Amino acid sequence: MRRLAQGKMSVRTAPLLITVTLFCLTVANRPKAELRADDRDIPVGGSVTLTCSVKPSSSDWKYFWYRGEKTSEPLTSQLSAGPIRVSEGGVYWCRGGRGEPVYYTEFSDPVTIYKISPNKAVVTLQPNWSEVYRGERITLRCEITDGGDTDWEYEWRTTSSEKPPRQNEHSITSVTESHSGDYRCKGRKKHTQHSSTGWSDPIKLTVSDGLLPVLTVSPSWLSAGASVTLNCRVKDPSAGWKFYWYKVVPHPSNIYYSYEQLPGSSSGTEQDSYIVHGQTHTAGYRCGAGRGDPVFSTYYSGIKYAWSADFNSSASLTVSPDRAQHFTSDSVSLSCEGNSTEWRVKRFSTEDRDSSACSSWWGIMTGSTCNIKTDWTSDAVYWCESESGEFSNAVNITVQAVSRPDSSSFPVLLVVGLVCGIVLFIPLIVLFCYRASKDSCFVRPVQSESANTDRVDHKNDHYSALHHDDVCLYDTVKGRQEAEHAQ
């Protein structure tokens, strides 16, 4: 305010009010377009759909499409406000624009589209086995039909934990259960990066824990002059198996057996059977099965025995007491004899999955003798094994589950049995006599009460004498008294 003086007059001015309105303009970062494809592979004679979008979305956006490098000219014919369809392979980009002059978004990330060639990819498994076992060697191969001399790059998909490299062949030296799964592959032409085959049909790889061949021996008990036939059975006999045959060699100082290969089986046999000639003593056998070229892994069966009851001069088994059947109360000892200083007694029963040596749970080994506990023992075959690798004769022992009666109590039991029999038998005899006597009294002729009393009395006396001490005596006496009373 300013005061002006002029004479005696003064002028006062009103204050000046100025209002200033500020406008805030927010400038956001340039948005980035997003590119999506409904499929990365263009089928033969087909196409795929590409969609470009900008957030936040607006109907004002128009989309520019590029194939190849971002610096290339846009596909002017493909300027659109929505998705487009393409039938050529390549690297695709997009960006949005609006306004005049055009305001552009950032380029999208690239999306590579492949055009499927008519060639077909196929996965093969070598060797072509229906089932693979742990430890075996396999090879997965991706083959392109009608591929010619074209150089291909390969890609694999699998549901297993294995991740094959980008090669047409993938070998696994020792398969495990983790390799089980579906395997697919496809090929891509090297000189045409955006042309590839479709995904192959899946091949399923199943890896089992392991193979256990089953060995059978016939006969199980040897007879003079008989041969022994061994059969080795596997789950899939048509898979090119080779079979190996072994004879068991015992070593009492070692809990494990060693194995001696039978003649003619060092390279394996294609037949799953083997005949042993001239076997006269107890023997144990084992078979093995392997496949592949060369055979990479061999699986072995359990041990089976061919038993002989014939004594072996270098190893023999005797049983005390010497009988085949025993009772749970018996004390039974098995003794080994022969040309050895170290022995072990073994047994095999239907309840055992394998043979077992004389031990604390079914027997106690002292020197060359095993005292078996019959109360813990089922029916079983027993034999001796020597330090020199010999088997003795085998003995089949059965154990009865009701204990043998004590011989000292036999007379007492006999007397008690006789007394009980008599007590039960006497009432039967008395009852029989009573019924017999009653029947005889009933059929006795009735004497006349008229004349000839002496004759009647004589007959009554005679009849009474025949039935003395019998129940009919009362009737006889009564009859006489009635006669005298009549007189």
Side-chain angles (χ1 to χ4, degrees):
M1 182 180 65
R2 184 177 61 178
R3 176 177 297 177
L4 300 176
Q6 185 177 3
K8 294 182 178 180
M9 296 181 63
S10 63
V11 178
R12 183 175 293 179
T13 61
L16 179 63
L17 181 62
I18 301 175
T19 302
V20 178
T21 302
L22 298 178
F23 295 92
C24 295
L25 180 62
T26 302
V27 179
N29 293 331
R30 187 183 296 270
K32 183 177 181 179
E34 182 182 358
L35 176 60
R36 298 186 306 274
D38 64 345
D39 198 338
R40 299 296 181 96
D41 298 321
I42 302 174
V44 177
S47 61
V48 298
T49 300
L50 302 180
T51 303
C52 191
S53 61
V54 177
K55 293 182 179 179
S57 61
S58 171
S59 60
D60 297 333
W61 292 110
K62 302 297 182 181
Y63 300 103
F64 301 84
W65 301 90
Y66 303 85
R67 183 161 60 93
E69 301 296 330
K70 289 187 290 186
T71 57
S72 62
E73 290 296 322
L75 303 175
T76 56
S77 61
Q78 297 291 345
L79 181 65
S80 68
I84 64 170
R85 295 189 67 84
V86 296
S87 57
E88 295 294 329
V91 179
Y92 286 84
W93 314 73
C94 78
R95 66 175 176 172
R98 68 181 180 182
E100 187 64 39
V102 178
Y103 172 79
Y104 293 101
T105 67
E106 295 286 347
F107 281 95
S108 69
D109 292 330
V111 172
T112 304
I113 303 298
Y114 297 97
K115 187 172 184 178
I116 301 301
S117 70
N119 305 93
K120 184 177 178 59
V122 178
V123 178
T124 61
L125 175 66
Q126 298 295 331
N128 188 19
W129 295 326
S130 60
E131 189 169 11
V132 179
Y133 297 98
R134 178 168 47 85
E136 291 185 312
R137 178 189 178 95
I138 63 165
T139 298
L140 292 164
R141 183 176 290 115
C142 185
E143 298 178 351
I144 309 298
T145 59
D146 300 325
D149 298 330
T150 304
D151 290 334
W152 297 87
E153 290 181 346
Y154 298 89
E155 186 177 349
W156 292 87
R157 281 183 182 174
T158 176
T159 59
S160 73
S161 60
E162 186 74 6
K163 302 302 178 188
R166 292 178 174 269
Q167 300 174 356
N168 72 319
E169 191 172 282
H170 176 57
S171 295
I172 305 175
T173 57
S174 181
V175 295
T176 64
E177 289 82 353
S178 64
H179 294 111
S180 297
D182 293 334
Y183 289 80
R184 295 171 176 242
C185 76
K186 72 176 181 178
R188 186 177 300 113
K189 294 179 180 180
K190 288 184 176 180
H191 66 277
T192 307
Q193 287 293 320
H194 308 124
S195 177
S196 70
T197 68
W199 287 103
S200 68
D201 294 330
I203 186 172
K204 189 175 186 62
L205 177 63
T206 302
V207 181
S208 300
D209 182 42
L211 174 71
L212 183 64
V214 178
L215 176 66
T216 58
V217 176
S218 179
S220 56
W221 285 91
L222 297 174
S223 59
S227 58
V228 179
T229 301
L230 310 179
N231 284 97
C232 196
R233 181 165 48 88
V234 292
K235 187 176 181 180
D236 184 10
S238 63
W241 294 97
K242 287 187 176 181
F243 300 93
Y244 304 86
W245 310 93
Y246 303 90
K247 186 176 181 180
V248 173
V249 180
H251 295 284
S253 58
N254 193 332
I255 61 173
Y256 301 104
Y257 288 117
S258 61
Y259 303 96
E260 179 182 297
Q261 203 158 42
L262 292 173
S265 68
S266 58
S267 299
T269 64
E270 295 182 358
Q271 294 77 24
D272 61 356
S273 62
Y274 186 94
I275 298 178
V276 180
H277 298 282
Q279 185 65 44
T280 57
H281 301 303
T282 298
Y285 299 97
R286 189 186 196 186
C287 75
R291 60 183 179 177
D293 188 19
V295 173
F296 181 76
S297 184
T298 305
Y299 307 93
Y300 296 97
S301 70
I303 299 171
K304 296 293 183 179
Y305 298 91
W307 292 297
S308 173
D310 294 340
F311 277 88
N312 185 351
S313 59
S314 57
S316 63
L317 171 66
T318 57
V319 182
S320 180
D322 187 10
R323 57 176 179 265
Q325 185 174 11
H326 298 267
F327 295 87
T328 55
S329 60
D330 290 346
S331 176
V332 180
S333 62
L334 308 175
S335 299
C336 302
E337 299 176 356
N339 302 327
S340 181
T341 58
E342 188 173 355
W343 300 89
R344 69 178 171 197
V345 175
K346 297 200 72 175
R347 80 165 202 173
F348 184 88
S349 71
T350 55
E351 298 178 357
D352 298 332
R353 297 185 61 184
D354 201 355
S355 61
S356 59
C358 180
S359 60
S360 58
W361 71 275
W362 66 263
I364 299 176
M365 193 76 184
T366 305
S368 61
T369 300
C370 175
N371 296 306
I372 65 174
K373 302 174 181 179
T374 52
D375 55 339
W376 284 87
T377 305
S378 59
D379 299 348
V381 178
Y382 296 84
W383 68 92
C384 294
E385 295 175 357
S386 71
E387 182 184 22
S388 57
E390 297 285 340
F391 287 92
S392 73
N393 56 298
V395 176
N396 191 7
I397 295 179
T398 60
V399 178
Q400 182 67 36
V402 178
S403 299
R404 177 188 300 279
D406 191 354
S407 59
S408 61
S409 63
F410 181 73
V412 176
L413 295 177
L414 179 61
V415 172
V416 172
L418 289 174
V419 170
C420 292
I422 292 173
V423 169
L424 294 174
F425 190 62
I426 289 177
L428 294 176
I429 295 176
V430 173
L431 180 60
F432 176 77
C433 292
Y434 171 76
R435 297 189 61 159
S437 62
K438 190 173 183 180
D439 291 342
S440 63
C441 293
F442 178 77
V443 300
R444 177 171 54 86
V446 178
Q447 300 296 332
S448 174
E449 296 182 358
S450 58
N452 203 2
T453 305
D454 293 339
R455 184 177 177 183
V456 171
D457 291 339
H458 176 72
K459 288 183 178 180
N460 286 340
D461 291 341
H462 177 69
Y463 194 79
S464 176
L466 290 175
H467 292 77
H468 188 265
D469 291 333
D470 195 27
V471 292
C472 290
L473 178 62
Y474 173 77
D475 293 336
T476 304
V477 174
K478 181 178 181 183
R480 181 176 298 175
Q481 290 174 350
E482 290 176 351
E484 290 176 352
H485 179 72
Q487 290 176 354

